[in-house]
Amino acid sequence: MSIHAILQTVFGYQAFRGPQLDIIQHVVSGGDALVLMPTGGGKSLCYQIPAIARQQAGQGITVVISPLIALMHDQVGALHEAGVSAAFLNSTLSMQETSQTERRMLQGEITLLYAAPERVTTPRFLEQLDILQSRGLLSLFAIDEAHCVSQWGHDFRPEYRALTVLHERFGQVPRIALTATADALTRADIIERLQLQEARLFISSFDRPNIRYTIVEKREASQQLLRFIRDEHMGDAGVVYCQSRKKVEETAELLCDNGIAALPYHAGLDSRVRQANQDQFLRSEGIVMVATIAFGMGIDKPDVRFVAHLDMPKNIEGYYQETGRAGRDGEAADAWMCYGLQDVVNQRRMIDESPAEEAFKQGLRGKLEALLGLAEATDCRRVRLLSYFGEASQPCGNCDNCLQTPDVWDATDAARKLLSTIYRVQAMSGFGFGAGHIIDILRGKVTDKVTQRGHGSLSTFGIGADLSEAQWRAVLRQLLAIDAVAVDAQAFNTLALTEASRAVLKGAVPLRLRVSQLSAAQRKSRRSAVPGAAAAKKSVHLALDMPAQARLAALKAWRFEVAREHNLPAFVIFHDATLSAIAESAPQSLDALQGISGIGSRKLQAYGEAVLAVVSDCLASADNP
Ligand code: ADP
Ligand code: ZN
């Protein structure tokens, strides 16, 4: 079969997306490739189609290296549903299942074999690969989540380092490495660590136009989150990221208390509970997963409608990867983050206190600053995000700053007052103080500490009474973002001046800050005034008329049963978009059904008649109500 025929008959898709065709052609013909594509861009087909094409050409099996044991079952299940021979080898299999799979593998009967890196690099597995190679049945290595090899990525897995053995021992076998992490540092590291210097590099646009970015100032984070979900995402599947396990638990409880179906996920939970929660998130509709960053890699649920950050991530790569889990199906989705001064201080402290070398810490600080810059930005968030990944773009019309230009004020003078207070306090007392005290001095508050330390006599005492505490915190965040203030984690988070402070003190660095954010309700009413924005927000489901909605509901009920019988997530059977298209066009023959995106020949054969029956039942009951 040609690769187009595989796309259409196996996967049921009409056309390749973006660079998929180039990548697939290159890999089918035996080239090495490094693929950088955003989450949801369609990386899987880039190795699955070559695997099928090369197997059909008698070249044997493709070994897929994936760090995600917990998801292998569903990944392989999805391929089975499409009629592709696939299997996995991991610790969840019994001895008997393992040896059976190994036997099939050695015969070259499997098209895609999934295994974790620690398995792939065992002597036993490598010997099996030797046998396969001697039989001419080792076709391709696909290294998924390739950024795991780099300590600059956010999911560093030391086991990935050992994968160089593939290149050294099986130099003739082509390799394709894939990742959604694209900053220059990580990319260079992947190339070096996996020895992909000769591989062709495929970089897609990292834009995810259907995701709307919003970053708000933290006031009462959990109330803000509740409001966000209630106003915009009741009943939707979503992910909420928190920094600590405790906060995960608290937040999940709060959401549940407020009628939102939420589950916790963090590394401290028993692995069975974790797996059960993940399964429920994947298999049921409308669950909100409250999680630490331990959750999400490889989660390919297509209909996640929002990703919320209750705490700030470490860097833009992490933020982008996590937010990228929203809206894989291409429908409108939200990336919402709430952040405050404490986030900045915490992140700085974690870096300062880590045992790493200074040069490495400096790299981490630079990455944190870039994220702060994004959070404090008053211009298009997407332009900033994309430019971080080396892509130029125009204001997007689908982020908070584009939808509503923030009012800005000139904080240049305020910044000078703040820095000079830090300086004077230090000069007077011989050591520094934290943000709260510095702001009290600026605002002229006579606290016990002010009295004890005699700071009421400073010339800057009370010179900032015209600004609120929140405004002062915003000034301070901005100064942290441009590194004009340092937080000394070793000394109770005291503030200190830096190299960059001088230019600000001189008034040579203009600072423009957003005034303050509108409430969610105001934002919403402004939103609908933006052409296109309201339409972009509307999901397919709402576009359906009443009878079609009834068909969709019936189809979903049918899908739920099938998915349960097969012990797979519902989207593996059919995506929502596919069901919506069926509901809308109400096909009455297999021919009519066949043209719908997402229905390959295997699924048509397996489910076609059942789907037609659901549709015709609905049509009949609509005629005879
Ligand atoms: P990634 O691994 O890059 O995050 P996936 O491979 O999971 O993305 O693909 C994202 C979604 O897009 C999946 O639901 C997949 O079925 C779908 N998809 C991929 N390629 C195409 C295509 N050419 N046409 C239609 N849908 C596609
Ligand atoms: Zn924008």
Side-chain angles (χ1 to χ4, degrees):
M1 256 194 276
S2 73
I3 56 182
H4 276 99
I6 296 173
L7 178 74
Q8 283 158 9
T9 55
V10 178
F11 296 97
Y13 296 139
Q14 300 315 308
F16 287 107
R17 261 195 207 159
Q20 279 178 335
L21 179 61
D22 278 352
I23 298 167
I24 292 169
Q25 280 174 336
H26 179 73
V27 177
V28 168
S29 62
D32 288 344
L34 173 57
V35 174
L36 309 179
M37 213 186 251
T39 314
K43 282 187 287 299
S44 320
L45 291 192
C46 295
Y47 61 84
Q48 289 171 345
I49 291 183
I52 296 166
R54 290 174 64 89
Q55 173 68 285
Q56 286 176 350
Q59 287 165 298
I61 84 168
T62 290
V63 177
V64 184
I65 294 117
S66 153
L68 305 156
I69 290 176
L71 292 170
M72 284 179 191
H73 170 264
D74 290 354
Q75 287 170 333
V76 166
L79 285 165
H80 286 166
E81 289 295 322
V84 180
S85 156
F88 60 82
L89 279 177
N90 67 33
S91 49
T92 66
L93 296 181
S94 68
M95 289 244 288
Q96 197 188 0
E97 287 167 324
T98 301
S99 59
Q100 197 184 351
T101 302
E102 285 175 345
R103 208 165 38 241
R104 285 177 55 216
M105 167 176 117
L106 290 174
Q107 300 304 322
E109 283 169 16
I110 295 167
T111 301
L112 288 121
L113 179 89
Y114 286 73
E118 54 273 22
R119 157 90 49 166
V120 172
T121 49
T122 57
R124 178 183 171 88
F125 194 83
L126 290 171
E127 275 160 33
Q128 288 166 339
L129 292 183
D130 282 335
I131 298 173
L132 274 174
Q133 189 178 32
S134 69
R135 295 178 179 168
L137 292 175
L138 186 54
S139 166
L140 172 68
F141 291 115
I143 304 170
D144 205 3
E145 314 282 1
H147 62 279
C148 289
V149 78
S150 169
Q151 57 178 344
W152 292 112
H154 37 95
D155 303 306
F156 177 46
R157 306 272 175 121
E159 315 87 78
Y160 262 67
R161 292 273 166 94
L163 290 174
T164 46
V165 69
L166 299 181
H167 170 71
E168 288 155 9
R169 191 149 159 177
F170 310 98
Q172 302 307 309
V173 179
R175 292 175 302 154
I176 173 174
L178 311 101
T179 177
T181 301
D183 72 305
L185 218 50
T186 313
R187 186 196 309 166
D189 217 17
I190 295 173
I191 292 173
E192 195 192 311
R193 297 282 177 183
L194 294 178
Q195 294 167 33
L196 286 166
Q197 289 86 351
E198 307 286 303
R200 201 170 134 194
L201 187 58
F202 293 91
I203 306 180
S204 320
S205 166
F206 268 67
D207 191 16
R208 299 286 310 281
N210 60 315
I211 298 182
R212 172 174 298 173
Y213 299 96
T214 303
I215 302 180
V216 304
E217 213 178 302
K218 196 180 274 189
R219 301 231 165 102
E220 302 156 282
S222 36
Q223 291 306 316
Q224 288 171 290
L225 175 71
L226 258 183
R227 227 175 300 132
F228 164 70
I229 297 180
R230 276 198 186 134
D231 286 353
E232 323 214 2
H233 288 290
M234 258 336 244
D236 286 343
V239 182
V240 177
Y241 283 109
C242 305
Q243 194 136 75
S244 69
R245 296 170 184 187
K246 183 160 161 267
K247 195 141 158 207
V248 164
E249 303 269 352
E250 288 168 3
T251 306
E253 214 175 292
L254 176 85
L255 294 184
C256 288
D257 288 347
N258 283 277
I260 297 163
L263 292 169
Y265 188 104
H266 59 70
L269 291 171
D270 183 81
S271 69
R272 265 170 312 182
V273 176
R274 230 165 33 207
Q275 178 74 32
N277 288 359
Q278 174 170 302
D279 282 349
Q280 204 179 333
F281 174 75
L282 292 174
R283 284 161 171 66
S284 322
E285 289 194 46
I287 304 267
V288 175
M289 187 66 108
V290 186
T292 59
I293 53 166
F295 176 75
M297 201 196 345
I299 294 286
D300 52 3
K301 187 173 169 61
D303 57 352
V304 174
R305 293 272 68 84
F306 70 91
V307 170
H309 282 93
L310 222 42
D311 299 302
M312 196 173 67
K314 282 192 185 58
N315 52 42
I316 291 187
E317 291 86 327
Y319 172 75
Y320 208 62
Q321 190 128 14
E322 284 144 31
T323 56
R325 290 168 188 146
R328 279 173 183 249
D329 52 9
E331 305 266 326
D334 270 301
W336 183 91
M337 177 165 92
C338 156
Y339 98 113
L341 187 56
Q342 199 54 44
D343 287 299
V344 183
V345 171
N346 287 347
Q347 294 285 6
R348 287 295 286 235
R349 188 178 43 216
M350 284 197 299
I351 296 171
D352 292 342
E353 287 175 352
S354 85
E357 282 178 25
E358 193 46 41
F360 183 72
K361 288 186 185 179
Q362 210 44 49
L364 295 181
R365 286 191 199 107
K367 282 173 174 259
L368 175 61
E369 265 154 40
L371 179 58
L372 284 172
L374 171 75
E376 293 290 340
T378 52
D379 51 359
C380 177
R381 310 269 190 204
R382 195 179 311 268
V383 167
R384 290 210 170 219
L385 279 168
L386 292 176
S387 90
Y388 184 79
F389 296 116
E391 245 180 282
S393 65
Q394 294 298 313
C396 72
N398 193 27
C399 72
D400 53 355
N401 289 350
C402 280
L403 288 168
Q404 208 235 298
T405 318
D407 296 326
V408 292
W409 61 288
D410 188 342
T412 315
D413 221 38
R416 298 171 64 188
K417 290 178 184 168
L418 199 151
L419 292 181
S420 84
T421 304
I422 295 172
Y423 174 76
R424 280 160 212 274
V425 164
Q426 164 91 38
M428 182 170 176
S429 300
F431 47 86
F433 286 83
H437 183 63
I438 300 288
I439 292 174
D440 285 345
I441 296 174
L442 282 160
R443 304 195 63 226
K445 271 171 85 175
V446 188
T447 62
D448 289 351
K449 213 183 210 167
V450 166
T451 315
Q452 270 168 23
R453 302 287 179 193
H455 289 162
S457 67
L458 288 169
S459 62
T460 56
F461 186 77
I463 57 168
D466 53 326
L467 298 185
S468 68
E469 164 145 11
Q471 282 173 308
W472 278 117
R473 286 185 177 267
V475 176
L476 185 51
R477 282 199 311 266
Q478 185 78 14
L479 289 173
L480 283 165
I482 61 170
D483 207 19
V485 169
V487 180
D488 187 348
Q490 258 83 54
F492 310 104
N493 291 333
T494 54
L495 304 179
L497 299 191
T498 66
E499 262 318 287
S501 304
R502 196 168 312 159
V504 179
L505 273 167
K506 282 196 193 139
V509 183
L511 272 196
R512 290 164 66 73
L513 300 186
R514 55 174 68 232
V515 166
S516 110
Q517 271 137 7
L518 294 174
S519 70
Q522 285 168 306
R523 208 174 66 233
K524 226 178 162 189
S525 64
R526 292 251 198 137
R527 234 177 217 189
S528 35
V530 179
K537 196 81 189 164
K538 212 161 159 188
S539 77
V540 235
H541 314 238
L542 299 176
L544 298 176
D545 62 15
M546 286 291 281
Q549 285 200 35
R551 289 194 288 274
L552 181 60
L555 287 164
K556 281 191 172 180
W558 166 82
R559 179 181 67 175
F560 179 79
E561 284 307 318
V562 176
R564 207 177 47 176
E565 274 166 32
H566 295 211
N567 185 23
L568 285 172
F571 62 81
V572 166
I573 309 298
F574 285 122
H575 281 185
D576 281 3
T578 303
L579 287 194
S580 294
I582 299 172
E584 190 171 11
S585 64
Q588 295 180 50
S589 69
L590 287 174
D591 265 357
L593 195 56
Q594 190 165 28
I596 291 173
S597 179
I599 307 184
S601 63
R602 166 69 215 284
K603 288 190 180 175
L604 187 73
Q605 202 183 2
Y607 304 125
E609 296 294 349
V611 165
L612 291 176
V614 173
V615 170
S616 78
D617 277 357
C618 290
L619 291 174
S621 62
D623 285 343
N624 312 295

